[in-house]
Structure formats: structure tokens, C-alpha cells
Amino acid sequence: MILNQLLTVLALSAFTGSSNVAKDKFKNFHDQALVSTPLVLDEASYLKLTDGPRNHSVAVLLTAMDQRFGCILCKEFQPEWELLAKSWLKGDKSGKTRTVFGTLDFVNGKGVFQRLMLQTAPVLLVFRPTEGPGASPDGQPQRFDFTTGVSTAEPVHSWITRTLPDGPKPSFRRPPNYVKIVSVTTGVLGFITFISVLWPYMLPVIQNRNVWAAFSLLSILLFTSGHMFNHIRKVPYVGGNGKNIDYFAGGFSNQFGMETQIVAAMYGVLAFSAIALALKVPRIADPKQQQVAVILWTAVMVGMYSFLLSVFRVKNGGYPFWLPPF
């Protein structure tokens, strides 16, 4: 009877001692994290932090930052990892989530990499508690998959939150990017200053009807000639069979890049000849010069329209109409 009571007392003492050791271990590492997080680990501190009994969680990034290893993803993710650890600690200074963040570089923990048979880096491991609420019976860590190319803190924070035991978790917040804010503000102020200085000179140009007429006419010529069709279909500039070059593609669903430019030029000549006949020629005071201008611009219009009809017959072989000289 006395022996049984003695064994019970010894077992309770051992359990209490083990629990106290786990509590003291977390408090020790949490106090270090309050000074600098994530903790920079070596092989000994890694084993001490992750070995059981463990009533806390551990998130460890195994990385290889040395230039000799050429780990680009390690260098890209390291500042994100430090930002994540600091953000977590900022929202959990009291240690309610009982989670410690650490970093183990290959140079300082070759034995750990060999023991885990790791051939690549970075590797993120999350150890759940081995005792207490949310304990993991086997004590084996969960591994985050970096093969998807993830190099930002947000998806890693979401994964850690899902992996840890249930309970409130601190949210991840990026600090303000003051360099970007200053750059954008400076750029906006500079643009406003630039516009303010040039506004007296720009206003007459903006209000000029001829400028808007020219811009509108060029836009109409550009888009009615098939410019967007070329961008959408990625058409070739010209066609041919190796001996002859084709500037016009047969059929309505085909088109070449140079064909668009030629058609736009034809539309432009027709438009300017119509404008000249309607606006410029009536202003000529000399009747003979006016007559010559009418004949000249009419000939240009008829000739260009004849060429346009000939191009249209190339596109549509069954079109029966034509106009001299083409």
C-alpha cells in the first residue's frame, strides 16, 4: 500500500516537473523573441526548441542564405518571413498563441538538414504541441510547399493559422510603405505643378477646333482601316509565296498589316480632297485658279476612289463594278 502511494507521488512529481520544464522552455524562448524575432537558431537551439515535451508551437524556416548555394527563393522570402514573424509577435506579445518563430540557416544547422534529408531550401516546418490543448500525438511537423512559387507572407500566414491548434490568431498587417507614399505624393505634386505652369499655353491648344478635328479624323481613319483587327488577330505584315509579295489578302476575314496602312492612306486622301473641295477651293479669289483647283482635287478624288474599288475587288472577287482608270 505504501509502495503504491510512493509510486503515484513519484509519477505526479515527474509529470509536474515535465510540465514546468515545458513552460519554462516556452517562456525562455518567448522572452528572446520579444527582443528579436524570428529567433536565429543553430543546431542545438533548434533541437531544444522542437524536442518534446512541448506545450507550445514552433514555426521554423530552414533556409540557405549563403551566396554559395544560389538560393534565389531563400533571399526573396527571407524579408517576408521576418515581416510575418514581427507582425505575429506584435499581435501576440503576451504569448497567448504559444507560438515561437525561428530561422535555421544551413550553415548553422547542417546536421538538422541531414537528419531531415532535405535537398532543397527554403523549407517551412510547423510543430504543434505534444501536450496540452491541440496536441499532436506523433509530434511530427507539418511542411509548407514552396514548389508553387509562393514568396509572399500572406499565403504563408494563412497556412500557419490553419495548421496551428484552434484559437484566436493575430492577423497579418504590412507596415506602410513610406517610400512608395512619398514617391507617389511627390509625383502627383510635380504633375500638378507642371500642369499649372503650362496650363496658359495648353488651354488654347486644347480649345482649338482644328486640333480636335485632326485628332478625330486620324482616329477614324486608323480604326476604320482595320487597326484593331490587326492587333486582335496578330496578322502578318505582308503575304506572298517567296517570289511575289502580296499587300492585300483575299476575303473579308483576312488582312495584312500593310493593307491597313494603304487603306488608311486612301481614306485620308479621299477625306482631305473632300475637305479641300468643300472648304479651301471656295476661298480662292481667282476664278481660273479656283477652276484648276476644282479639276485637280476632283481628279484626285476620282482616281483614289477608282483605286479603292480595285482593292475592294481583290477582297471580293464577285464585285461587278469598277471605275476608270484602275
Side-chain angles (χ1 to χ4, degrees):
M1 185 67 177
I2 297 176
L3 181 60
N4 290 335
Q5 292 178 351
L6 181 60
L7 292 175
T8 302
V9 170
L10 291 175
L12 290 174
S13 301
F15 178 78
T16 303
S18 174
S19 178
N20 290 334
V21 169
K23 290 180 180 179
D24 292 341
K25 183 165 64 173
F26 170 73
K27 185 178 184 305
N28 180 30
F29 282 108
H30 182 67
D31 291 342
Q32 295 180 38
L34 291 174
V35 177
S36 177
T37 189
L39 299 177
V40 179
L41 305 174
D42 55 18
E43 186 171 352
S45 58
Y46 170 85
L47 295 176
K48 183 178 179 181
L49 180 62
T50 58
D51 281 348
R54 186 178 63 248
N55 63 359
H56 61 273
S57 301
V58 183
V60 182
L61 178 68
L62 292 91
T63 185
M65 296 293 292
D66 197 289
Q67 295 284 352
R68 294 173 296 172
F69 307 120
C71 182
I72 298 176
L73 185 56
C74 296
K75 296 179 180 179
E76 291 179 351
F77 183 67
Q78 186 63 31
E80 294 289 310
W81 174 247
E82 295 175 357
L83 184 62
L84 173 57
K86 289 179 172 62
S87 177
W88 188 287
L89 184 64
K90 185 176 180 180
D92 186 35
K93 289 186 177 181
S94 61
K96 290 183 179 180
T97 62
R98 303 189 67 79
T99 304
V100 179
F101 286 76
T103 303
L104 178 63
D105 195 282
F106 178 78
V107 176
N108 301 324
K110 296 180 181 179
V112 175
F113 278 76
Q114 294 173 357
R115 189 178 301 108
L116 297 174
M117 293 183 292
L118 299 178
Q119 301 294 327
T120 60
V123 174
L124 177 58
L125 301 178
V126 170
F127 296 82
R128 293 167 62 97
T130 58
E131 59 183 30
S136 176
D138 57 3
Q140 295 300 314
Q142 298 292 320
R143 178 171 174 173
F144 180 77
D145 185 14
F146 280 99
T147 57
T148 57
V150 173
S151 60
T152 56
E154 285 81 0
V156 177
H157 175 269
S158 300
W159 178 79
I160 293 176
T161 301
R162 295 192 305 268
T163 306
L164 293 178
D166 295 336
K169 311 292 191 313
S171 60
F172 173 74
R173 295 181 180 178
R174 288 185 177 274
N177 189 342
Y178 295 106
V179 175
K180 184 177 181 180
I181 294 173
V182 172
S183 300
V184 172
T185 303
T186 304
V188 171
L189 293 176
F191 178 75
I192 294 174
T193 304
F194 178 77
I195 295 297
S196 300
V197 173
L198 293 182
W199 185 251
Y201 306 97
M202 295 173 59
L203 187 60
V205 177
I206 294 175
Q207 294 178 339
N208 191 299
R209 294 170 57 187
N210 294 331
V211 172
W212 285 105
F215 176 77
S216 301
L217 185 59
L218 290 175
S219 300
I220 292 171
L221 294 176
L222 181 66
F223 291 108
T224 56
S225 61
H227 177 72
M228 291 306 299
F229 182 93
N230 295 345
H231 276 274
I232 295 172
R233 296 291 186 89
K234 306 296 182 182
V235 300
Y237 188 66
V238 293
N241 54 10
K243 296 181 179 179
N244 299 320
I245 298 177
D246 296 328
Y247 301 106
F248 301 99
F252 292 114
S253 60
N254 300 316
Q255 187 170 282
F256 294 140
M258 179 168 278
E259 177 182 339
T260 299
Q261 298 174 2
I262 296 174
V263 171
M266 288 190 293
Y267 286 165
V269 172
L270 288 171
F272 284 118
S273 62
I275 292 172
L277 287 171
L279 299 178
K280 299 296 183 181
V281 173
R283 298 177 184 177
I284 300 176
D286 190 345
K288 290 185 178 181
Q289 292 183 0
Q290 188 181 63
Q291 185 179 13
V292 171
V294 169
I295 295 173
L296 177 63
W297 283 112
T298 302
V300 170
M301 179 179 288
V302 172
M304 189 55 62
Y305 191 70
S306 173
F307 182 59
L308 180 61
L309 286 178
S310 67
V311 172
F312 188 77
R313 287 200 306 273
V314 173
K315 305 294 291 184
N316 183 7
Y319 190 70
F321 303 104
W322 62 281
L323 185 67
F326 297 100

